[in-house]
Amino acid sequence: MLDAILLTPIAEIMAFPPFFFEVLIGGLLTGVMYALVALGFVLIFKASGVFNFSQGAMVLFAALTFVGLEDMGVPLILALVVTAAVMVAFAFAVERAVLRPLVGQAPITLFMATIGITFFLDGFGLTLWGSEVRRLDIGIPAEPLVIGDLFLNGFDVVAAAVCGALVLTLALFFQYTATGRALRAVADDHTAAMSVGIPLKVIWTIVWSVAGLAGLVAGIMWGAKLGVQPSLALIALKALPVLILGGFTSVPGAILGGLIIGAGEAVFEVFWVGLHGGASQDWFAYMLAMVVLLFRPQGLFGEKIIERV
Amino acid sequence: MFYLETGQYKTSYAKDQQIFPLVQDRVGMVVILLVAFVAIPLLSSNYWLSTIMLPFLIYSLAAIGLNILTGYAGQLSLGTGGFMATGAFAAYKLTTAFPELHFVLVLILAGVITAFVGVLFGLPSLRIKGFYLAVATLAAQFFLVWLYNKNPWFTNYSASGVISAPPREVVPGVVVTGASGTPEAKYYFVLVLVVVLAWMAKNMARSKMGRAWMAIRDMDIAAEIIGIRPAATKLTAFAVSSFYIGIAGALWAFTYTGSVEALAFEINVSFDVLFMIIIGGLGTILGGFLGAAFIILFPIALNQSLLAMGLQNAIELASHLEFMIMGALIVTFLILEPHGLARLWQIFKQKLRTWPFPY
């Protein structure tokens, strides 16, 4: 038993290191895609303190709308613009119909409300566009990249690059624009931000829009990788443990959390459970997050949770 | 004037502490029990009993369990499906390993095993709360379902992984599980269990333990300062809640579906039960029943109305619409009536009390 857990997998890794690195890098690249989804969560949590369970549904909805428009013969760029507009409209609707009436409620109530939004959005998207699996081709080459001894999935490399670009854009947006500064002010202290004249409602709409756009990018990348289908929302759910690991309030934490979980589950699946049934990706991330929570409740990079009476 | 407590004097401590202090409530309870035990089996068809009443009762039990944890003790859990699966598989392993063991005992032991598992996954609640805890309980959901699905020991090495529940008797000659049990027998068996367990839950909620749960929910720091031990209180909430949910899971597999399979307890079950207690009413026993009735009847009503509107092949559309309307309802309830249907019932009782005057 101990042998199967400790010795054999290590021996396998030692026997042929390039394969281990292939698995590891493949996992890291998947992790980047998790981070892409997790980013949307972090944005909303930072700016409004709402833990947005519906980010996964937003990813699915954006992907469904995009691929649906494309199937209708709308050109790629136009479909992209229209979907982005739809996500912004959705942000307006959420702010108006859900957030505003629930202002001042306990965070857990808002959390449950976002579960409601999740169901609504899933149902709405599927009613509108149907639930069959759709292929999404955005012209990224799928042939493997060969670097030295390693075979890498070309698509994953491109996805990682897109994610990197998105993170950089967001970082610059937060750092250098007036809106970005206002967002950071709201994240820091709602009341103080309001007292210096930052319109809270506008900020919330903006931040949900940005999260929707991040969801659109994530949806397109995941959709191109796996096809656009309802189970996309379940993959997006995995952004939750990513966040727990990285800390809710930290953008670098989301990225690093994604990398750790992506790499961890790939290595764990291939070397530890591969022969005993497999499919450990379903739960590995959640278990890891739970163990981390036991020892470090604020995650790796989150701000320490201080409770005041 | 229909619901006046005036003139009902409590002349002993026992009367002051009884579960239904008002005579109207006692009469109401008797009427409900008569309806459940006599009228429903007489009036409804086998189809109605086995496809609507059974899942309603079992879901009510699960909702009571989750309500103890989330509604009374304030610990949000998304692991209900995983715990139900634990109960189902514990019962299956027990009853196949010891076929002579009485089935009620099997259920209780399955509940106890689930309680242990629940405490294990409840350990993070000692350090975290709110949505952090919700994510941690997702680990229970995904891990447990995976475990039962992939590990052939749990299915007694059956080739397909889908196993039918073996027939078991409660009293000699009356089979209540599997395909060979009659709907009436199953219905009475589940009904008796649900009544007993709901009565126990109601009493627990108004005991010292229940008050400790509510104190932790309302403000954990204040509760700790007045001498309530947070660790013990949270873990008993997890244990009791999982006990109920485990029994519900075992009943689900043995009496309702008749087959024990892990994939019947996917994450959607967790959400369904959570929605039941939000719609029914957090922190009430009645809410579990109201929420379960709503969640069971709503899709049927939707399907019927779609059919009535002439949409024939609308099954897929109906399931999507159901998602959508359910989500909208959750948000609406949270905004308009955060205390759920049980609160509406309370308002109605107040109206009965003061009628015909407004106050």
Side-chain angles (χ1 to χ4, degrees), chain A residues 51 53 97 111-113 116 119-120 123-124 126-127 131 248 278-279 282-283 286-287 290 293-295 297 307, chain B residues 76 124 127-132 135-136 139 142-143 146 150 221 271 275 278 316-317 320 323-324 327 331 334-335:
Chain A
F51 187 91
F53 196 82
F111 173 60
M112 291 195 276
F119 271 67
F120 178 80
F124 185 54
L126 294 175
T127 308
S131 61
F248 281 109
D282 284 354
W283 55 268
Y286 299 95
M287 280 303 229
M290 197 177 95
L293 276 177
L294 268 178
F295 296 102
E307 277 199 57
Chain B
L76 185 58
R127 297 208 59 184
I128 52 174
K129 55 188 176 183
F131 32 71
Y132 293 82
V135 176
F142 288 110
F143 178 70
W146 175 84
K150 294 289 180 188
I221 296 175
F271 284 125
F275 285 176
I278 295 176
E316 199 183 70
L317 178 68
H320 296 158
F323 268 101
M324 199 171 141
V331 175
L334 285 170
I335 291 171

Side-chain angles (χ1 to χ4, degrees), chain A residues 11 45 49 56 66 70 87 93 163 190 228 246 263 288 293 307:
Chain A
F45 190 78
F66 181 74
E70 222 195 358
M87 293 319 284
C163 175
H190 286 186
V228 177
L288 187 66
L293 276 177
E307 277 199 57

